[in-house]
Amino acid sequence: MRSARTATWIFGRLMPLFAGLLLACGGGSPAQSDMTPGSQGVTVTVTPATFSLTSGGALQLVAAVNGAADRSVTWTVDGVAGGNASVGQISGSGSAVVYTAPAALGTHEVAATSVADPSRRATASIVIRTGCAPDPTSPQVFRVTDAAYGAKGDGSTDDTAALQKAMDAAAGTGGKVVVPAGTYMVNALVSVFLKSNMTLAMDPGAVLKAIPNGASNYDILMVSGASHVSITGGTLLGDRAAHTGTTGEWGHGISIKNSQSVVLEGVTARECWGDGFYIGLNSKDITLCNVLSDHNRRQGIAITSADGVVVRGSTFSNTNGTPGETGLDIEPNTGETVNNVLITACTFTGNAGGGISVGVPIAHTGQAWVTNVVIDGNLTQNNGVSTVQPGSEFKGIEVSNCVGTRVTGNTALDNKGIGILCRNGANNSILTGNIVRRTIGHGIEEYLCSGNTITGNTSTDNTGHGIYSTSCTGSVISGNTVSGNGLNP
């Protein structure tokens, strides 16, 4: 079910063909084209053209060649074909590749060169840095416990107004609001609103705790109509155990709506009546890295309307209580679109409804859209158990009713239902390099789809089929390792 309430530096503007979706954090800029003389009319662009990554982070780059029948390119890093461990490495081939940053800090250049005209090339400049959230652009500090704001953090005082006063003071300054360790009670029916051009820096021991209420909707923190906002550290603690109502599913730790260039790093959201994290209302360039969402009631994170979301190195666990009970759910409402999402190096465990769910509800076909989603290098384990939806079929990773989703290099272990599922119009999906084991059900399944590529996967020791395809056309299923499963082939 979706909400009736619609609801780094960030990585720049992401082009519609998925350029600039990061496994780490950074700032992107529009595509650059090399105009060196060559065949008349041949141009090359690479998107994004500038960005930053943390050590070991990765980024998808997209090259486009115009003016030539042959649109292929070759890739180099600092002049090295395909790169290496010192300068960063390129994986994949063709117009869309992934660059993985080296361990050492520094600056590197990735180039795409036209095969048709090698004199034409385009470059991207990469800065390897530490951390995910950008540094504040101003030295100004607004400490919420200072006399000017008066927050107590004693676990009993309503600190909502004091916290908001500090946010208002920091608005537009580029400075940071500091929240020391303590428990700050928040009226989540009012919410604390962050403003543009500011950082909220919470001590690891800082807790913003929702004052118990009986409402179906609430938000502890809200980013609405804002840009260039960073939130680091701390815990957002919902009122799940003490909630006095029984209806609704929209009590969130933080909601991001109609905002852009927002970074969350090291933030925990737990025990919320609805979602730990919510992203909607056409938000752009949103990054979550190293966040934790635990024991929230509806979704660990819900994404309903956005262009350019990166979820990296984060954990979504123990979501249960009301449908859909999923670690991460991408599901636009009617009239909404979710574009350009990268989910990477995350862990999804113990979620009652499943680990990752991506797609448009069948009833909303032609009225909502999901495009350019990459699910890469994640672990989904022990999902689909103890659900409030008995009789339903749950998954480690599910893709439905959207085109061109890439599911690569993931590990799905001990899930109930299906390890990885493409269904009902999950067309032209690419499933490769995944490991699926010990599913209570099929390891990998596709049905009512067309044009999928399922290659190079390992699916073993599942109670059902290792790979099961039914009612699909045009699929390529080859080069997979399938053994020890309960049903054959």
Side-chain angles (χ1 to χ4, degrees), residues 5-7 144 159-172 177 179 185-200 202 208 217-231 236 252-259 262 281:
R5 297 174 70 210
T6 45
V144 299
D159 283 321
T160 310
L163 293 167
Q164 190 62 62
K165 190 174 182 180
M167 305 298 171
D168 294 343
V177 172
V179 182
M185 304 302 294
V186 173
N187 182 350
L189 303 180
V190 174
S191 306
V192 175
F193 284 76
L194 283 80
K195 305 300 180 70
S196 295
N197 299 308
M198 63 164 288
T199 294
L200 172 59
M202 294 186 281
L208 305 187
N217 306 340
Y218 68 69
D219 302 284
I220 299 172
L221 288 181
M222 172 71 76
V223 183
S224 179
S227 63
H228 300 287
V229 177
S230 295
I231 305 171
L236 309 176
H252 305 328
I254 180 169
S255 287
I256 301 170
K257 301 179 179 180
N258 192 31
S259 295
V262 179
L281 277 183

Side-chain angles (χ1 to χ4, degrees), residues 67 103 111 135 139 190 220 246 280-281 320 377 380 426 459:
D135 296 328
V190 174
I220 299 172
T246 58
L281 277 183
N320 65 69
T380 66
S459 185

Side-chain angles (χ1 to χ4, degrees), residues 32 242 281 358 471:
Q32 298 291 317
L281 277 183
V358 177
S471 303

